[in-house]
């Protein structure tokens, strides 16, 4: 405590001691000044000491110095070197010195205080500027800065010497620099306050931030600009907010465009539209200038007349959703979905009504197209007797059945849900349930498609044949979500297949009858054909006996005769085997590689006696090295025989020529043509010659050509007839190089 008091007392005492010492030192120094110059020197010294003390320590200390100096200097000014207060001259000098000292001290102290206040104000102003959360600058007219706050130097990293001149321009973003300088130039010329937004680079991270730059001029009494005072305020957050708002508005506008949804605000008191989005303008095809006068009734005018009452009724509701149509001035009709919400203030007064209007024209069209598509699909399913379904594997329940599925199973299409698994299995034929479950469970385990046929038994006892196809739907992890599939009612197809099988059997029987009939008609020719090798064998046998009866026996000649017997016997056996296979009933088709030219020669040999009988010549134009075809040899023989006999019968009365031709076509098929020079085909009946039971012969059955066509088509070929240029007709048939291996035609 004592130390603190001493510090408070020691400072004034020390200053008084220093002041006294200064006065005595100056007084002592004045002794060296001649007496004639002492008054002026003493006065100047007196004023100097008083001014120094007053400027340094203030009025109180300068007053003390003035008293000491007045006493000391007055004494020095006495003529005899003494100072007596009783002398008027000494009192006058003392008083004068005191007045001058006190006045000088007061004035000096005032100046000192003003200087201190000015320095304090400047310091406080500088502290204020330095601590303002902005950057402050002062500039002369033109681009040169003369002062910038500490915030500027810390942010930009530019010292004062680099900031002056054009140095400050280096921290402005290049995209903003040109505009910023031009605006500063205009304001400097016109004296208008400067305001601009620009990006300035931060020395710390090199990033640019947005600043709002404002500057005002300081003018003299004549209006001339002396300086510019300015401030840079960081508005980066505001700019980001504005950009986010602009992006949000852009996103909203884009979302409205993409969703074709417009928004609006309506003021109920003035019956005026306060806001319409751009998308709403497009929806209503309204000019933006009309918004200022768009009242509720004018809004109603855009609504289709048939929907206006519905819309008016909905406007009174606080919340409403309504679909209606717009009838635009161009005549275009749009479907829209409107939603509105009424906004009330705290007192319950209606402030405004906000809402949205979405253009759902495309959705309506899509819905209509979907309804039509569903109707077409339902009709297609009904016509094709095909139903569709979806089955949820985790829940083991059918989640969808089409209407045709219900009809196929004899159930009411209007029922609320598909049948469960137990009901479904009850409808299935008992003999098919185990096989059905086994196949389906296997597909479920292996996550594969499946297809199978099964039967169902309706409540009235009707049996239906169904063909089912199922396909798994997998999620991203590979697990089965559901199975989708179809059921096709193939009952009619099954019946048709059974009927076709019966017809095939009938056709087979007819073909066999045709072959038997043909063989009967060719009995004489066949007997002659068999008689030749038999007669030759007998002759050779007799010859062999004669050669053996000789003494000695001629074994070589006998051996040759016996060899001829074997050859003739083999020939007869081959003819008999061909006849047996040709005659045999119920032989299934046996596809093999067959040489068509070889079959043609066989049939010519078999029918040679028949052609000789009616004076008919046979000629061939067979292409060499034809590829073999996969066919049933017996059926192919029957085709050749039927067509050759057909030509022979056409030339029985007058004879003629039968020509057999084979060739390879451009599409790599084999074409065989059998041509005659007989009576030809009646032009009006050419299209019917292959019909069953159609014949132009008195004793014909009308089945020969029909059977022939079925055989050719079963081999994948085609049969047709054409009239010759001269007389007669030609029958053509084609065979592919690789005919079908499974032949369904009669054999």
């Amino acid at each position: 405590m004592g130390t603190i008091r001493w510090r408070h007392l020691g400072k004034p005492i020390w200053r008084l001691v220093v002041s006294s010492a200064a006065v005595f030192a100056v007084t002592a120094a004045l002794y060296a000044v001649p007496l004639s110059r002492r008054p002026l020197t003493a006065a100047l010294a007196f004023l100097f000491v008083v001014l120094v003390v007053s400027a340094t320590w203030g009025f109180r200390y300068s007053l003390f110095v003035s008293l000491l100096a007045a006493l000391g200097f007055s004494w020095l000014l006495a003529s005899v070197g003494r100072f007596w207060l009783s002398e008027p001259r000494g009192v006058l000098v003392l008083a004068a010195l005191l007045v001058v000292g006190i006045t000088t001290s007061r004035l000096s102290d005032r100046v000192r205080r003003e200087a201190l206040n000015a320095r304090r104000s400047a310091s406080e102003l500088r502290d204020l500027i330095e601590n303002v959360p902005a950057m402050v600058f002062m500039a002369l007219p033109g681009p040169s800065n003369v002062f910038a706050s500490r915030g500027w130097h810390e942010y930009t990293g530019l010292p004062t010497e680099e900031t002056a001149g054009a140095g400050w321009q280096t921290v402005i973003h290049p995209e903003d620099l040109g505009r910023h300088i031009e605006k500063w130039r205009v304001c400097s010329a016109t004296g208008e306050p400067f305001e601009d937004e620009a990006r300035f680079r931060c020395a710390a991270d090199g990033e640019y931030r947005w600043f709002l730059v404002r500057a005002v001029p300081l003018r003299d009494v004549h209006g001339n600009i002396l300086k510019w005072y300015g401030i840079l305020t960081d508005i980066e957050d505001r700019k980001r907010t504005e950009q986010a708002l602009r992006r949000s508005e852009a996103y909203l506008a884009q979302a409205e465009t993409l969703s074709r949804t417009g928004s609006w605000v309506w003021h109920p008191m003035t019956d005026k539209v306060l806001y319409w989005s751009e998308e709403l303008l497009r929806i209503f095809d309204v000019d933006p200038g009309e918004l200022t006068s768009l009242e509720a009734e004018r809004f109603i005018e855009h609504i289709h007349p048939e929907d206006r009452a519905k819309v008016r009724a909905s406007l009174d509701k606080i919340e409403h959703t309504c679909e209606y149509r717009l009838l635009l001035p161009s005549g275009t009709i749009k479907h829209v979905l409107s939603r509105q919400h009424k906004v009330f203030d705290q007192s319950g007064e209606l402030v405004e009504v906000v809402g949205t209007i979405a253009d759902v024209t495309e959705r309506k069209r899509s819905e209509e197209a979907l309804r039509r598509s569903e109707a077409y699909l339902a009709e297609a399913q009904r016509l094709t007797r095909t139903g569709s379904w979806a089955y949820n594997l985790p829940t083991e329940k059918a989640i969808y059945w089409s209407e045709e599925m219900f009809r196929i199973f004899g159930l009411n299409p209007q029922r609320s849900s598909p049948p469960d698994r137990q009901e479904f299995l009850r409808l299935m034929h008992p003999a098919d349930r185990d096989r059905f479950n086994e196949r389906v469970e296997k597909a479920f385990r292996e996550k594969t498609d499946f297809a199978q046929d099964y039967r169902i038994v309706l409540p009235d006892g009707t049996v239906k044949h169904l063909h089912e196809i199922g396909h798994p739907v997998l999620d991203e992890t590979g697990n089965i979500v559901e199975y989708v599939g179809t059921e096709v009612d193939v009952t009619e197809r099954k019946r048709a297949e059974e009927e076709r099988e019966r017809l095939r059997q009938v056709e087979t029987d007819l073909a066999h009858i045709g072959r038997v009939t043909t063989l009967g008609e060719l009995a004489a020719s066949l007997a002659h054909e068999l008689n030749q090798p038999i007669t030759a064998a007998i002759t050779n046998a007799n010859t062999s006996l004669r050669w053996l009866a000789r003494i000695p026996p001629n074994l070589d000649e006998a051996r040759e005769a016996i060899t001829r017997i074997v050859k003739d016997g083999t020939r007869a056996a081959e003819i008999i085997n061909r006849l047996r296979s040709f005659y045999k009933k119920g032989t299934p088709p046996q596809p093999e590689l067959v040489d068509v030219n070889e079959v043609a020669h066989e049939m010519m040999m078999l029918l040679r006696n028949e052609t000789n009988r009616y004076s008919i010549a046979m000629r061939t134009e067979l292409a060499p090295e034809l590829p073999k075809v996969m066919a049933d040899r017996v059926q192919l023989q029957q085709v050749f025989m039927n067509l050759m006999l057909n030509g022979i019968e056409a030339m029985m009365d007058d004879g003629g020529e039968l020509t057999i031709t084979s060739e390879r076509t451009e599409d790599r098929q084999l074409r065989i043509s059998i041509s005659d020079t007989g009576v030809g085909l009646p032009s009006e009946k050419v299209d019917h010659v292959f019909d069953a039971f159609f014949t132009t012969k008195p004793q014909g059955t009308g089945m020969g050509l029909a059977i022939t066509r079925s055989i050719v088509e079963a081999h994948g070929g085609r049969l047709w007839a054409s009239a010759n240029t001269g007389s007669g007709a030609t029958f053509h048939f084609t065979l592919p190089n690789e005919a079908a291996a499974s032949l369904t035609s009669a054999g």
Side-chain angles (χ1 to χ4, degrees), residues 406-411 426-428 455-464:
F406 287 100
R407 282 192 288 268
I408 290 174
F409 281 79
L411 302 176
R426 282 197 301 270
L427 292 169
M428 188 178 297
R455 293 165 295 175
I456 60 172
V457 182
L458 303 187
D460 60 0
T462 302
V463 176
K464 287 186 177 181

Side-chain angles (χ1 to χ4, degrees), residues 619-657:
R619 187 171 63 88
T620 60
E621 295 179 2
L622 304 177
E625 298 182 358
L626 285 179
K628 295 182 179 181
V629 297
M630 185 66 70
D632 183 275
R633 190 180 192 89
V634 174
Q635 291 185 354
L636 203 54
Q637 288 174 344
Q638 186 170 3
V639 170
F640 272 95
M641 180 170 284
N642 287 348
L643 295 178
M644 292 172 69
L645 285 175
N646 192 72
I648 292 171
E649 291 172 355
M651 298 182 290
M652 282 182 177
D653 295 336
D654 301 321
E657 185 179 70

